[in-house]
């Protein structure tokens, strides 16, 4: 698969000295949906702002579609659509005009038919002549999406697209994302809602305190790092974990036994457990495994990263 | 897309002009009213004591100065507001992320601001010609002065709009610099009417050269040579362009 956005050793130190990104390298593949996951203040918006030309990097380089974002900013930026995190809209401009304005800014010839399609898709058609300030927050976000799509970008950045957004808009947005995916548009979305990344992303990048902790196919991530829970439903439900099985750290769930194991570990211990169940005279009615959510992975990664930082600072203080 | 992004310039220009249409009262009518008030005050009150200045009726004499006053104030305030406001409400993100150079951004905002103040200047000229007799000896030169002035001061306004990070700063320069310079720059009197020491000071006022040259294009009377006036306006334009270029090079205050 082709790389469409190539980020090399990117660093950003803001004017006030704050180091928001350190040495981030990331290749984004053409046509994929990449979820950029990280807690508040991790540097997600900063990263996007640099790629889109809103902020300038203090180190490293970025190329978009093979074009350096500084030397060939016209080519690189014309490939990108951005829906920023904050609702920044004009007040008095009409929906129709503001979307066409965006298209013009990106140097595209007027195309009322295409703009109409987008506005309809985002169910803004009835509001096309309304002033933006008369719209609700959700409607304004739709306008921002329409603006980002107005110039037919090949890459779409969605910065926290669903933060504080109603169900209806969320559904419509995923419909748009699905259509864009089918058309081969690359989509990068940031979120701190893990379920969202889990639901739609092909790959997941985790960023914390300006450092990229991991980039992985979602599937691999779930398999490699995920914990699984084995639910053992018994013919005769129990109300306590038998003493003979204590070494497995089982828990109870509605009369069933639950065994948690690491799929990445060398041995899962399932065979031994089943043998011991047999010895204990417990008859198994059904087995079921449940995979731990990305949330567990994410929380694990971030808290390990935080621990590391703490150790480093205490080391630093000692030396 | 690699060439000059004319569509973006046009998009910004149209957006800014639409803003004027929406605020027609504030943009056009209020300056016309305040100009008419100047006429009443200066034209009637002072004009009843000073009959003529250098052979021109006082009411007519102040018309070029009044036009310049509006042109300067409006060019600066239109352009500074035009670029400051998107910074203030955050919509600047879109301009920054678009495939558009700084020069194109300047052309869009400054072009619209200059157009607006030119229109206003012409409206004031028309209004004045209803009240006092006006002859324009050199219409082409008059227009050239207006265009140069509008563009130069719109550039200045743009610079102020980029520099300002709050509304006070935005209004500071027009209020504390532009208006006093216009009033002390011979808009409503001839420099020869001042005591010699003050004449000397006035020659350091760049607005004097503007007003004088502009007035010459009407009545062929001037405080300084019209050629010197033209050079002064061109010089001012060059200074503004140089500052714009410096902002462009350093990305000063637009990109974090
Ligand atoms: N303009 C700025 N000046 C200084 N610090 C900033 C600026 N913008 C963001 N930051 C800081 O950089 C860090 C990363 O911010 P951001 O990229 O917005 O994080 P995220 O989008 O992941 O929540 C935060 O600690 C934030 O306070
Ligand atoms: Mg953010």
């Amino acid at each position: 698969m082709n790389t469409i956005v190539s980020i090399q050793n990117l660093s950003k130190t803001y004017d006030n000295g704050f180091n928001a990104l350190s040495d981030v390298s990331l290749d984004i593949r053409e046509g994929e949906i990449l979820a950029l996951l990280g807690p508040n203040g991790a540097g997600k918006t900063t990263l996007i702002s640099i790629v889109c030309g809103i902020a300038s990097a203090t180190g490293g380089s970025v190329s978009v579609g093979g074009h350096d974002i500084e030397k060939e900013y016209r080519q690189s930026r014309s490939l990108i659509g951005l829906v920023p995190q904050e609702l920044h809209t004009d007040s008095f401009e009409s929906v129709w005009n503001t979307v066409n304005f965006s298209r013009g800014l990106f140097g595209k010839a007027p195309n009322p038919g295409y703009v109409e399609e987008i506005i309809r898709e985002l169910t803004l058609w009835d509001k096309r002549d309304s002033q933006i300030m008369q719209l609700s927050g959700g409607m304004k976000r739709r306008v921002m999406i329409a603006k980002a799509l107005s110039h037919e970008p090949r890459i779409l950045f969605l910065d926290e697209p669903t933060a504080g957004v109603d169900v209806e808009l969320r559904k419509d947005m995923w419909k748009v994302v699905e259509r864009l995916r089918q058309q081969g548009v690359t989509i990068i979305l940031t979120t701190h809602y893990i379920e969202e990344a889990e639901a739609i992303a092909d790959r997941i990048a985790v960023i914390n305190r300006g450092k990229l902790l991991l980039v992985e196919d979602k599937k691999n991530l779930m398999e490699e790092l995920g914990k699984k829970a084995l639910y053992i439903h018994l013919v005769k439900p129990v109300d306590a974990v038998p003493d003979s099985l204590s070494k497995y750290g089982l828990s109870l769930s509605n009369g069933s036994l639950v065994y948690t194991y690491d799929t990445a570990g060398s041995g899962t211990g399932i065979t031994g457990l089943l043998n011991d169940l047999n010895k204990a005279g417990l008859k198994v009615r059904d087995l079921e495994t449940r995979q731990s959510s990305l949330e567990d992975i994410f929380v694990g990664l971030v808290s390990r990263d935080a621990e590391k930082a703490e150790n480093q600072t205490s080391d630093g203080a000692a030396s | 897309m690699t060439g000059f992004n004319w569509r973006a310039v046009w998009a910004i220009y149209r957006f800014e002009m639409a803003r004027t249409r929406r605020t027609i009262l504030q943009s056009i009518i209020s300056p016309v009213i305040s100009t008419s008030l100047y006429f009443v005050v200066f034209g009637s009150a002072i004009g009843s004591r000073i009959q003529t200045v250098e052979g021109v009726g006082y009411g007519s004499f102040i018309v070029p100065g009044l036009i310049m006053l509006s042109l300067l104030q409006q060019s600066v305030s239109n352009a500074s507001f035009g670029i400051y406001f998107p910074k203030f409400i955050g919509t600047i993100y879109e301009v920054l992320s678009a495939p558009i150079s700084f020069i194109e951004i300047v052309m869009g905002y400054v072009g619209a601001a200059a157009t607006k103040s030119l229109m206003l200047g012409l409206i004031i000229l028309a209004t004045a010609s209803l009240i006092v007799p006006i002859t324009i000896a050199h219409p082409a030169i008059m227009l050239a002065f207006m265009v140069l002035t509008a563009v130069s001061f719109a550039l200045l306004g743009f610079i102020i709009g980029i520099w300002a990070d709050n509304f006070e700063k935005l209004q500071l320069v027009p209020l504390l610099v532009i208006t006093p310079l216009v009033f002390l720059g011979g808009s409503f009197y001839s420099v020869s009417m001042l005591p010699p020491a003050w004449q000397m000071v006035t020659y350091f006022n760049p607005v004097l050269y503007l007003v004088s040259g502009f007035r010459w294009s009407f009545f062929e009377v001037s405080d300084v040579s019209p050629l010197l006036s033209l050079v002064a306006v061109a010089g001012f334009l060059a200074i503004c362009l140089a500052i714009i270029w410096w902002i462009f090079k350093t990305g000063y205050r637009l990109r974090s």
Side-chain angles (χ1 to χ4, degrees):
Chain A
M1 238 190 285
N2 293 329
T3 295
I4 192 154
V5 178
S6 177
I7 299 167
Q8 302 287 330
N9 311 105
L10 193 66
S11 303
K12 172 68 179 177
T13 306
Y14 280 108
D15 288 342
N16 63 4
F18 187 83
N19 190 12
L21 289 177
S22 19
D23 203 28
V24 171
S25 294
L26 169 66
D27 280 348
I28 299 169
R29 301 168 185 161
E30 183 157 20
E32 75 172 336
I33 299 184
L34 176 76
L36 202 53
L37 220 59
N40 267 327
K44 306 180 293 293
T45 300
T46 302
L47 181 64
I48 290 182
S49 300
I50 292 172
V51 177
C52 294
I54 295 164
S56 34
T58 44
S61 65
V62 180
S63 73
V64 177
H67 304 288
D68 184 86
I69 57 162
E70 280 176 18
K71 293 192 198 82
E72 300 179 299
Y73 66 91
R74 282 191 204 272
Q75 290 93 327
S76 69
R77 287 185 204 162
S78 57
L79 294 172
I80 298 177
L82 164 66
V83 183
Q85 178 173 0
E86 307 289 339
L87 274 180
H88 298 305
T89 55
D90 290 303
S91 301
F92 302 102
E93 196 63 274
S94 75
V95 171
W96 179 259
N97 285 346
T98 200
V99 176
N100 281 287
F101 168 79
S102 303
R103 190 176 167 89
L105 261 193
F106 279 74
K108 290 271 181 167
N111 185 345
Y114 174 76
V115 171
E116 177 176 342
E117 260 174 51
I118 287 177
I119 288 185
R120 282 191 188 278
E121 185 177 29
L122 288 158
T123 59
L124 285 167
W125 185 246
D126 293 341
K127 303 273 184 202
R128 65 188 178 282
D129 295 322
S130 305
Q131 289 190 326
I132 298 169
M133 65 175 177
Q134 297 166 345
L135 304 179
S136 67
M139 283 288 177
K140 282 183 185 149
R141 193 160 287 276
R142 285 168 193 263
V143 172
M144 307 227 4
I145 299 171
K147 280 163 82 71
L149 295 178
S150 68
H151 58 93
E152 304 161 60
R154 298 298 304 150
I155 303 161
L156 180 66
F157 284 92
L158 298 166
D159 198 357
E160 312 265 355
T162 52
V165 148
D166 57 274
V167 182
E168 203 59 30
L169 173 51
R170 200 179 284 231
K171 272 200 309 206
D172 283 357
M173 190 146 50
W174 296 148
K175 257 194 278 179
V176 174
V177 164
E178 189 48 43
R179 170 183 63 84
L180 293 170
R181 180 219 281 273
Q182 274 163 21
Q183 293 173 349
V185 175
T186 308
I187 295 163
I188 297 98
L189 63 96
T190 74
T191 181
H192 47 251
Y193 296 122
I194 289 116
E195 316 84 67
E196 219 162 75
E198 204 169 338
I200 62 165
D202 300 313
R203 282 203 306 162
I204 288 171
V206 177
I207 184 170
N208 191 35
R209 295 183 305 114
K211 289 207 186 68
L212 197 65
L213 300 183
L214 156 145
V215 197
E216 188 62 84
D217 279 357
K218 184 178 68 186
K219 264 193 270 161
N220 294 349
L221 193 62
M222 308 286 289
E223 282 164 15
E224 282 174 25
L225 286 171
K227 287 202 169 69
K228 276 190 172 180
L230 176 67
Y231 282 73
I232 305 160
H233 302 297
L234 301 167
V235 175
K236 283 191 200 124
V238 293
D239 45 29
V241 178
D243 285 344
S244 58
L245 301 174
S246 60
K247 67 170 176 175
Y248 293 102
L250 300 178
S251 56
L252 272 178
S253 166
N254 295 328
S256 300
L257 296 167
V258 183
Y259 174 55
T260 313
Y261 62 99
D262 195 339
T263 49
S266 48
T268 59
I270 292 175
T271 320
L273 171 62
L274 290 178
N275 278 334
D276 288 345
L277 275 172
N278 206 14
K279 279 186 207 148
L282 294 170
K283 287 226 165 62
V284 176
R285 177 168 60 84
D286 196 7
L287 289 175
E288 178 193 355
T289 63
R290 289 185 198 166
Q291 199 152 7
S292 65
S293 70
L294 256 179
E295 170 121 32
D296 309 325
I297 300 172
F298 173 71
V299 169
L301 270 172
V302 170
S303 58
R304 245 174 283 154
D305 184 53
E307 266 168 40
K308 216 166 65 184
E310 247 165 55
N311 291 340
Q312 272 165 6
T313 44
S314 53
D315 287 355
S319 63
Chain B
M1 205 192 55
T2 49
F4 196 87
N5 192 347
W6 281 111
R7 288 205 179 90
V9 177
W10 179 233
I12 293 174
Y13 184 87
R14 279 209 347 192
F15 176 88
E16 285 296 298
M17 293 310 282
R19 200 160 58 79
T20 315
R21 242 174 286 129
R22 283 192 301 264
T23 55
I24 193 101
L25 206 69
Q26 182 201 331
S27 310
I28 303 285
I29 298 179
S30 89
V32 168
I33 291 177
S34 62
T35 305
S36 305
L37 286 177
Y38 280 125
F39 258 116
V40 173
V41 174
F42 287 99
S44 308
I46 302 177
S48 62
R49 300 182 180 217
I50 308 169
Q51 301 299 322
T52 60
V53 181
E54 304 189 17
V56 181
Y58 185 72
S60 307
F61 180 84
I62 63 170
V63 169
L66 279 175
I67 295 174
M68 273 293 157
L69 175 65
S70 295
L71 214 56
L72 262 55
Q73 284 175 334
Q74 293 298 314
S75 299
V76 169
S77 73
N78 281 333
S80 61
F81 192 78
I83 187 68
Y84 177 77
F85 200 61
K87 278 200 321 183
F88 181 67
I89 63 172
T91 51
I92 192 77
Y93 86 88
E94 200 176 18
V95 174
L96 293 179
S97 66
I100 174 171
S101 72
F102 187 71
I103 299 306
E104 288 148 3
I105 298 175
V106 171
M107 285 177 69
Y109 283 105
V110 168
T115 308
K116 274 187 250 182
S117 55
L118 268 179
M119 279 167 29
L120 189 73
L122 294 174
I123 291 172
I124 291 172
L125 179 60
T127 313
S129 69
L130 298 177
I131 307 174
V132 289
I134 293 193
T135 52
I136 303 171
H138 306 281
I141 295 179
M142 180 209 79
L143 214 57
F145 262 112
M146 283 182 84
V147 172
L148 273 174
T149 307
V151 171
S152 308
F153 281 80
L155 280 170
L156 177 65
F158 188 88
I159 294 165
I160 294 168
I162 286 193
W163 162 77
D165 45 20
N166 57 48
F167 273 100
E168 281 75 47
K169 284 187 183 173
L170 196 65
Q171 283 160 347
L172 208 65
V173 176
L175 205 68
L176 292 186
V177 181
I178 307 291
T179 309
L181 283 183
V182 176
F183 274 87
L184 301 175
S187 305
F188 305 110
Y189 51 84
S190 166
V191 179
S192 60
M193 295 158 82
L194 297 175
W198 278 107
Q199 284 189 25
M200 198 55 212
V201 173
T202 307
Y203 285 118
F204 286 100
N205 182 347
V207 175
L208 169 74
Y209 298 85
L210 278 179
V211 173
S212 169
F214 190 51
R215 186 177 289 134
W216 178 84
S217 71
F218 282 78
F219 310 122
E220 294 186 308
V221 298
S222 61
D223 291 319
V224 294
S225 130
L227 200 65
L228 190 58
S229 291
L230 213 56
V231 170
V233 187
F236 185 68
L237 181 64
I239 292 172
C240 289
L241 284 173
I243 299 174
I244 290 278
W245 189 79
W246 175 79
I247 293 175
F248 166 63
K249 275 288 162 209
T250 57
Y252 175 76
R253 277 202 181 166
L254 267 180
R255 294 199 157 81
S256 53

